[in-house]
Amino acid sequence: MSLSRKKRRMWALALGLIGLGSATALVMTAFQDNLVFFLAPSEIAAQHPGPERAFRLGGLVEAGSVEKSVNADGRPEARFRVTDGPATVPVTYVGVLPDLFREGQGVVTLGKLGTDGMFRASEVLARHDETYMPPEVAAALKRTGHWEPERGAPPPAGSWNTMSTGGNPAASTGQGG
Amino acid sequence: MGGRPSGGGLHRFANPGRFLRLSARVSPWLWAAAALLLAVGVPWALVFSPPDWQQGETVRIMYVHVPMAWLSMAGYVALAAASATALIWRHPLADLFAREISPVGAAVTALCLATGSLWGRPMWGTWWVWDARLTSVLVLFFLWVGHAALVRAFDDEERGARAGAILAVIGAINVPVVKFSVDFFNTLHQPASVARLGGPSLHVDILYPLLVCAVGFSLLFAALVLTRTRAAVMEKRIRQLQLAQARRQDAVAA
Amino acid sequence: MTLHWWYVTAAWGLAGLGFGAMLLLSLQRLAAAKRRLALLDPRAGGRDATARGLPAGDGLPRAKELQG
């Protein structure tokens, strides 16, 4: 038995152990701390986290709440409100917003809640919902008043997921998925 | 060693021999079907399917990411089933299959993570977050890599296969964790779009190319694993023939 | 749009490279195994004997039938 083969096996075993060890470690730490990946506005209202604790706030961007500007340093700044229905938290953020960010979309923001009730975010992540539709279908749903994206989730998928993309809004009804 | 081997040896070889004959017939059809479906699915996904109303063209990553995600889990279920078979019935073919599927499974899971990251950067605004879905898929990746390394780490192949099988069966707990993480925990990752109560929440123009790609990649995965398992059976036979040859030469020399 | 396509290209490129490499390696490996098996066991004619349930030589499958 040559040394190189022994060494190869040793490395393979070490790799396996490292893999197993890190898997277990990840399960222990990441899952324990991050099972609650974000807090909803109503949970924040109930828990009152202190101003020095950084945490994630998650919810929908409230319709009509987004104000974009450029701050004194020339960096983009955004103000908006995050809501889960019963409660709402105002947020300020300096930086570039992700592509999916819009009113009515889910967001997860990392930051601290000031004593003034303002959440100062250092990171804003857009959350995608589980719907995928061509632009024509989204436009048709908006045109016919079936959906206002700023106000939240689209209507049940069965009402639009077989809709023709030829631009005929009448096809939106009565087709199930 | 010129005579016939013992009954046990013959029994152990009967099944791999039949496997090679059968798989030789199935294999070309598997490759052909995979090639055909991907030849339809990939251009459909990349060119002919519509953009998403808010993701734009980035939605096209989904047609490779989602099949990789499904394969990483379905492949692991196959690994766990083969491992259980090997532990209970001591089927040598199940051990070889488990040994050969895990590098492919690891590759597919790595592709799932990489393509997801490439989607997350422009869409979410981050390459990675430690939410329950992403973390459990990373654990799945480590399980695949750990299994692949473990079965190759032992001097005694059978002991390595046994250790790997135990790991694979225990690690199967992680599969439902991956699947339901988006429902049980609040995550950045969105919930399921296809396998969902109330029907798929994808428009058919997006759903159909996804399904064609998913079947195509699954057939390619199966063809790869089958080919690797065929090679492994042959390599085992080669080792036995070489051993028999060496013994014959020893006998002549003595 | 172009930035979107960059991410799409990177994702599909990685998948293409990954599967391409696995495809090449596994087919090479199978061809090598077939070749070595044929060299070790060039005797033909075992197939019909085993198919009829008759012992062929040392009772192990012949290279030809292993290759399929």
Side-chain angles (χ1 to χ4, degrees):
Chain A
M1 204 45 53
S2 70
L3 192 72
S4 68
R5 278 193 66 189
K6 247 182 205 165
K7 245 185 190 165
R8 198 172 53 105
R9 279 196 301 274
M10 203 183 73
W11 276 111
L13 189 65
L15 201 69
L17 288 176
I18 290 168
L20 285 180
S22 39
T24 330
L26 282 172
V27 173
M28 301 303 273
T29 58
F31 268 63
Q32 200 174 39
D33 294 345
N34 290 311
L35 278 187
V36 180
F37 185 65
F38 57 80
L39 295 171
S42 47
E43 289 169 321
I44 288 166
Q47 287 181 16
H48 295 294
E52 60 290 321
R53 197 189 138 205
F55 64 94
R56 287 190 179 86
L57 159 71
L60 291 182
V61 181
E62 198 175 66
S65 75
V66 178
E67 293 169 36
K68 288 179 184 172
S69 58
V70 177
N71 72 0
D73 307 333
R75 299 200 63 198
E77 187 174 356
R79 286 166 173 271
F80 52 93
R81 286 193 299 277
V82 172
T83 179
D84 64 346
T88 301
V89 174
V91 179
T92 61
Y93 171 67
V94 176
V96 181
L97 293 164
D99 286 11
L100 284 187
F101 183 92
R102 61 172 175 80
E103 288 172 9
Q105 183 77 280
V107 281
V108 176
T109 65
L110 174 68
K112 290 175 183 172
L113 188 67
T115 42
D116 55 351
M118 176 71 79
F119 189 84
R120 285 174 185 81
S122 56
E123 179 184 63
V124 173
L125 305 179
R127 207 168 170 271
H128 186 246
D129 56 21
E130 67 269 38
T131 57
Y132 294 78
M133 58 173 87
E136 296 90 342
V137 172
L141 287 175
K142 281 186 262 185
R143 196 168 54 237
T144 52
H146 284 97
W147 181 31
E148 287 176 78
E150 312 79 56
R151 308 217 166 265
S159 68
W160 52 262
N161 65 8
T162 54
M163 191 195 273
S164 152
T165 49
N168 177 14
S172 66
T173 48
Q175 294 188 23
Chain B
M1 265 312 274
R4 296 177 58 189
S6 63
L10 193 65
H11 162 75
R12 280 173 59 85
F13 247 90
N15 278 342
R18 199 165 58 210
F19 164 75
L20 284 180
R21 278 197 301 280
L22 276 173
S23 61
R25 228 172 293 157
V26 175
S27 192
W29 290 100
L30 213 51
W31 285 115
L36 184 75
L37 275 159
L38 287 175
V40 173
V42 174
W44 195 355
L46 284 176
V47 183
F48 300 110
S49 69
D52 180 68
W53 77 282
Q54 53 180 350
Q55 298 171 54
E57 306 294 343
T58 314
V59 71
R60 302 184 195 286
I61 294 175
M62 186 268 295
Y63 299 106
V64 62
H65 171 72
V66 170
M68 293 305 113
W70 288 347
L71 275 173
S72 68
M73 287 193 283
Y76 198 91
V77 171
L79 170 71
S83 299
T85 307
L87 284 175
I88 300 166
W89 291 287
R90 293 288 150 80
H91 200 298
L93 205 53
D95 278 333
L96 281 180
F97 170 80
R99 186 190 168 91
E100 296 306 327
I101 194 178
S102 51
V104 186
V108 158
T109 313
L111 282 173
C112 169
L113 290 168
T115 53
S117 197
L118 284 164
W119 182 87
R121 179 59 228 171
M123 294 295 110
W124 288 337
T126 182
W127 299 102
W128 182 264
V129 288
W130 293 98
D131 78 350
R133 168 55 75 83
L134 276 67
T135 308
S136 58
V137 174
L138 188 65
V139 169
L140 182 64
F141 173 67
F142 284 142
L143 284 169
W144 277 116
V145 174
H147 180 271
L150 196 63
V151 293
R152 287 163 179 80
F154 285 77
D155 220 351
D156 180 355
E157 245 175 62
E158 254 172 68
R159 277 184 61 200
R162 179 97 67 88
I166 292 167
L167 167 67
V169 170
I170 294 170
I173 311 161
N174 188 43
V175 174
V177 173
V178 170
K179 171 70 189 141
F180 297 112
S181 55
V182 285
D183 303 318
F184 290 163
F185 313 120
N186 56 20
T187 53
L188 182 63
H189 195 286
Q190 61 267 31
S193 289
V194 180
R196 148 184 196 280
L197 293 170
S201 58
L202 303 96
H203 190 271
V204 287
D205 290 357
I206 296 170
L207 177 66
Y208 293 160
L210 171 63
L211 294 180
V212 174
C213 283
V215 177
F217 278 120
S218 303
L219 289 167
L220 183 58
F221 182 90
L224 278 170
V225 174
L226 190 70
T227 301
R228 290 174 60 97
T229 310
R230 279 167 58 71
V233 170
M234 288 180 191
E235 284 159 5
K236 196 172 180 178
R237 170 86 178 117
I238 289 166
R239 280 197 299 280
Q240 290 188 337
L241 282 171
Q242 282 169 335
L243 203 68
Q245 212 170 44
R247 281 192 185 137
R248 263 200 302 274
Q249 280 162 359
D250 282 357
V252 169
Chain C
M1 254 340 125
T2 23
L3 193 65
H4 286 217
W5 275 109
W6 188 90
Y7 288 107
V8 174
T9 311
W12 278 88
L14 276 179
L17 279 177
F19 275 98
M22 285 194 284
L23 195 98
L24 210 71
L25 286 174
S26 57
L27 288 180
Q28 269 177 357
R29 186 177 153 198
L30 184 70
K34 275 183 181 173
R35 220 173 23 244
R36 275 194 295 157
L37 201 55
L39 274 175
L40 272 171
D41 193 2
R43 287 168 292 175
R47 175 177 233 149
D48 296 331
T50 15
R52 273 183 258 115
L54 298 170
D58 55 3
L60 295 168
R62 297 272 68 81
K64 272 230 166 139
E65 73 184 318
L66 285 168
Q67 283 178 64

mmCIF file of all heavy atoms in Angstrom, chain B residues 186-208:
data_model
loop_
_atom_site.group_PDB
_atom_site.id
_atom_site.type_symbol
_atom_site.label_atom_id
_atom_site.label_comp_id
_atom_site.label_asym_id
_atom_site.label_seq_id
_atom_site.Cartn_x
_atom_site.Cartn_y
_atom_site.Cartn_z
ATOM 1 N N ASN B 186 -40.488 31.816 8.137
ATOM 2 C CA ASN B 186 -40.476 32.936 7.213
ATOM 3 C C ASN B 186 -39.089 33.053 6.604
ATOM 4 O O ASN B 186 -38.083 33.068 7.292
ATOM 5 C CB ASN B 186 -40.972 34.243 7.835
ATOM 6 C CG ASN B 186 -40.221 34.643 9.078
ATOM 7 O OD1 ASN B 186 -39.105 34.177 9.294
ATOM 8 N ND2 ASN B 186 -40.795 35.509 9.870
ATOM 9 N N THR B 187 -39.063 33.035 5.280
ATOM 10 C CA THR B 187 -37.804 33.005 4.545
ATOM 11 C C THR B 187 -37.799 34.122 3.518
ATOM 12 O O THR B 187 -38.848 34.663 3.174
ATOM 13 C CB THR B 187 -37.651 31.675 3.783
ATOM 14 O OG1 THR B 187 -38.825 31.481 2.984
ATOM 15 C CG2 THR B 187 -37.478 30.507 4.733
ATOM 16 N N LEU B 188 -36.599 34.432 3.013
ATOM 17 C CA LEU B 188 -36.528 35.365 1.889
ATOM 18 C C LEU B 188 -36.977 34.642 0.620
ATOM 19 O O LEU B 188 -37.608 35.208 -0.251
ATOM 20 C CB LEU B 188 -35.092 35.898 1.738
ATOM 21 C CG LEU B 188 -34.885 36.927 0.627
ATOM 22 C CD1 LEU B 188 -35.694 38.184 0.883
ATOM 23 C CD2 LEU B 188 -33.418 37.291 0.484
ATOM 24 N N HIS B 189 -36.652 33.355 0.544
ATOM 25 C CA HIS B 189 -37.022 32.559 -0.620
ATOM 26 C C HIS B 189 -38.540 32.443 -0.709
ATOM 27 O O HIS B 189 -39.214 32.240 0.298
ATOM 28 C CB HIS B 189 -36.395 31.170 -0.515
ATOM 29 C CG HIS B 189 -36.424 30.409 -1.810
ATOM 30 N ND1 HIS B 189 -37.565 29.866 -2.314
ATOM 31 C CD2 HIS B 189 -35.446 30.120 -2.697
ATOM 32 C CE1 HIS B 189 -37.283 29.266 -3.458
ATOM 33 N NE2 HIS B 189 -36.005 29.408 -3.718
ATOM 34 N N GLN B 190 -39.068 32.549 -1.940
ATOM 35 C CA GLN B 190 -40.508 32.474 -2.127
ATOM 36 C C GLN B 190 -41.018 31.045 -1.955
ATOM 37 O O GLN B 190 -40.257 30.113 -2.127
ATOM 38 C CB GLN B 190 -40.907 33.011 -3.512
ATOM 39 C CG GLN B 190 -40.317 32.239 -4.673
ATOM 40 C CD GLN B 190 -39.019 32.844 -5.146
ATOM 41 O OE1 GLN B 190 -38.280 33.418 -4.356
ATOM 42 N NE2 GLN B 190 -38.719 32.707 -6.420
ATOM 43 N N PRO B 191 -42.323 30.887 -1.642
ATOM 44 C CA PRO B 191 -42.895 29.543 -1.533
ATOM 45 C C PRO B 191 -42.960 28.851 -2.904
ATOM 46 O O PRO B 191 -42.674 29.460 -3.924
ATOM 47 C CB PRO B 191 -44.306 29.793 -0.984
ATOM 48 C CG PRO B 191 -44.347 31.208 -0.561
ATOM 49 C CD PRO B 191 -43.290 31.930 -1.325
ATOM 50 N N ALA B 192 -43.363 27.578 -2.883
ATOM 51 C CA ALA B 192 -43.436 26.788 -4.114
ATOM 52 C C ALA B 192 -44.419 27.399 -5.101
ATOM 53 O O ALA B 192 -45.450 27.951 -4.711
ATOM 54 C CB ALA B 192 -43.837 25.363 -3.789
ATOM 55 N N SER B 193 -44.083 27.302 -6.411
ATOM 56 C CA SER B 193 -44.959 27.845 -7.444
ATOM 57 C C SER B 193 -45.686 26.759 -8.217
ATOM 58 O O SER B 193 -46.772 26.976 -8.733
ATOM 59 C CB SER B 193 -44.138 28.669 -8.449
ATOM 60 O OG SER B 193 -43.693 29.860 -7.864
ATOM 61 N N VAL B 194 -45.082 25.582 -8.340
ATOM 62 C CA VAL B 194 -45.666 24.521 -9.171
ATOM 63 C C VAL B 194 -46.459 23.551 -8.303
ATOM 64 O O VAL B 194 -47.669 23.394 -8.465
ATOM 65 C CB VAL B 194 -44.576 23.774 -9.963
ATOM 66 C CG1 VAL B 194 -45.210 22.685 -10.809
ATOM 67 C CG2 VAL B 194 -43.812 24.749 -10.844
ATOM 68 N N ALA B 195 -45.774 22.883 -7.360
ATOM 69 C CA ALA B 195 -46.438 21.926 -6.478
ATOM 70 C C ALA B 195 -47.086 22.698 -5.332
ATOM 71 O O ALA B 195 -46.525 22.846 -4.256
ATOM 72 C CB ALA B 195 -45.430 20.914 -5.941
ATOM 73 N N ARG B 196 -48.301 23.191 -5.578
ATOM 74 C CA ARG B 196 -48.881 24.148 -4.638
ATOM 75 C C ARG B 196 -50.392 23.951 -4.653
ATOM 76 O O ARG B 196 -50.987 23.667 -5.691
ATOM 77 C CB ARG B 196 -48.450 25.537 -5.120
ATOM 78 C CG ARG B 196 -49.353 26.695 -4.902
ATOM 79 C CD ARG B 196 -48.729 27.919 -5.549
ATOM 80 N NE ARG B 196 -49.367 29.121 -5.057
ATOM 81 C CZ ARG B 196 -50.535 29.563 -5.518
ATOM 82 N NH1 ARG B 196 -51.174 28.902 -6.447
ATOM 83 N NH2 ARG B 196 -51.055 30.673 -5.022
ATOM 84 N N LEU B 197 -51.023 24.115 -3.490
ATOM 85 C CA LEU B 197 -52.475 24.045 -3.395
ATOM 86 C C LEU B 197 -53.072 25.151 -4.249
ATOM 87 O O LEU B 197 -52.580 26.273 -4.245
ATOM 88 C CB LEU B 197 -52.935 24.209 -1.944
ATOM 89 C CG LEU B 197 -52.562 23.090 -0.981
ATOM 90 C CD1 LEU B 197 -52.872 23.500 0.445
ATOM 91 C CD2 LEU B 197 -53.301 21.812 -1.331
ATOM 92 N N GLY B 198 -54.130 24.827 -5.004
ATOM 93 C CA GLY B 198 -54.757 25.848 -5.828
ATOM 94 C C GLY B 198 -54.126 25.969 -7.202
ATOM 95 O O GLY B 198 -54.417 26.909 -7.929
ATOM 96 N N GLY B 199 -53.233 25.036 -7.555
ATOM 97 C CA GLY B 199 -52.671 25.022 -8.900
ATOM 98 C C GLY B 199 -51.427 25.860 -9.032
ATOM 99 O O GLY B 199 -51.151 26.717 -8.191
ATOM 100 N N PRO B 200 -50.654 25.623 -10.112
ATOM 101 C CA PRO B 200 -49.402 26.362 -10.297
ATOM 102 C C PRO B 200 -49.659 27.856 -10.465
ATOM 103 O O PRO B 200 -50.609 28.243 -11.142
ATOM 104 C CB PRO B 200 -48.826 25.775 -11.586
ATOM 105 C CG PRO B 200 -49.567 24.518 -11.833
ATOM 106 C CD PRO B 200 -50.906 24.670 -11.197
ATOM 107 N N SER B 201 -48.819 28.680 -9.821
ATOM 108 C CA SER B 201 -48.981 30.131 -9.954
ATOM 109 C C SER B 201 -48.034 30.670 -11.014
ATOM 110 O O SER B 201 -47.521 31.775 -10.892
ATOM 111 C CB SER B 201 -48.741 30.809 -8.611
ATOM 112 O OG SER B 201 -47.456 30.495 -8.149
ATOM 113 N N LEU B 202 -47.773 29.859 -12.042
ATOM 114 C CA LEU B 202 -47.011 30.331 -13.190
ATOM 115 C C LEU B 202 -47.948 30.323 -14.382
ATOM 116 O O LEU B 202 -48.777 29.415 -14.538
ATOM 117 C CB LEU B 202 -45.836 29.399 -13.513
ATOM 118 C CG LEU B 202 -44.795 29.112 -12.453
ATOM 119 C CD1 LEU B 202 -45.145 27.828 -11.749
ATOM 120 C CD2 LEU B 202 -43.431 28.986 -13.088
ATOM 121 N N HIS B 203 -47.803 31.317 -15.212
ATOM 122 C CA HIS B 203 -48.555 31.321 -16.459
ATOM 123 C C HIS B 203 -48.083 30.149 -17.319
ATOM 124 O O HIS B 203 -46.906 29.796 -17.288
ATOM 125 C CB HIS B 203 -48.340 32.642 -17.184
ATOM 126 C CG HIS B 203 -49.264 32.838 -18.347
ATOM 127 N ND1 HIS B 203 -48.947 32.406 -19.611
ATOM 128 C CD2 HIS B 203 -50.509 33.366 -18.428
ATOM 129 C CE1 HIS B 203 -49.958 32.691 -20.417
ATOM 130 N NE2 HIS B 203 -50.922 33.274 -19.720
ATOM 131 N N VAL B 204 -49.009 29.546 -18.078
ATOM 132 C CA VAL B 204 -48.647 28.354 -18.864
ATOM 133 C C VAL B 204 -47.494 28.610 -19.834
ATOM 134 O O VAL B 204 -46.705 27.696 -20.103
ATOM 135 C CB VAL B 204 -49.860 27.790 -19.638
ATOM 136 C CG1 VAL B 204 -50.818 27.096 -18.695
ATOM 137 C CG2 VAL B 204 -50.563 28.888 -20.424
ATOM 138 N N ASP B 205 -47.366 29.843 -20.331
ATOM 139 C CA ASP B 205 -46.261 30.149 -21.248
ATOM 140 C C ASP B 205 -44.902 30.024 -20.561
ATOM 141 O O ASP B 205 -43.870 29.916 -21.225
ATOM 142 C CB ASP B 205 -46.407 31.583 -21.797
ATOM 143 C CG ASP B 205 -47.576 31.704 -22.762
ATOM 144 O OD1 ASP B 205 -48.210 30.666 -23.037
ATOM 145 O OD2 ASP B 205 -47.861 32.825 -23.223
ATOM 146 N N ILE B 206 -44.915 30.077 -19.212
ATOM 147 C CA ILE B 206 -43.695 29.926 -18.430
ATOM 148 C C ILE B 206 -43.627 28.520 -17.846
ATOM 149 O O ILE B 206 -42.560 27.915 -17.768
ATOM 150 C CB ILE B 206 -43.649 31.011 -17.322
ATOM 151 C CG1 ILE B 206 -43.576 32.411 -17.959
ATOM 152 C CG2 ILE B 206 -42.476 30.804 -16.375
ATOM 153 C CD1 ILE B 206 -43.770 33.554 -17.003
ATOM 154 N N LEU B 207 -44.808 27.983 -17.462
ATOM 155 C CA LEU B 207 -44.872 26.654 -16.846
ATOM 156 C C LEU B 207 -44.443 25.551 -17.817
ATOM 157 O O LEU B 207 -43.656 24.670 -17.448
ATOM 158 C CB LEU B 207 -46.293 26.392 -16.344
ATOM 159 C CG LEU B 207 -46.571 25.021 -15.734
ATOM 160 C CD1 LEU B 207 -45.784 24.842 -14.442
ATOM 161 C CD2 LEU B 207 -48.061 24.824 -15.464
ATOM 162 N N TYR B 208 -44.946 25.588 -19.070
ATOM 163 C CA TYR B 208 -44.663 24.481 -19.999
ATOM 164 C C TYR B 208 -43.173 24.354 -20.339
ATOM 165 O O TYR B 208 -42.630 23.253 -20.259
ATOM 166 C CB TYR B 208 -45.531 24.594 -21.259
ATOM 167 C CG TYR B 208 -47.016 24.388 -21.003
ATOM 168 C CD1 TYR B 208 -47.982 24.829 -21.883
ATOM 169 C CD2 TYR B 208 -47.445 23.737 -19.849
ATOM 170 C CE1 TYR B 208 -49.345 24.652 -21.640
ATOM 171 C CE2 TYR B 208 -48.801 23.556 -19.587
ATOM 172 C CZ TYR B 208 -49.740 24.008 -20.479
ATOM 173 O OH TYR B 208 -51.071 23.824 -20.220
#
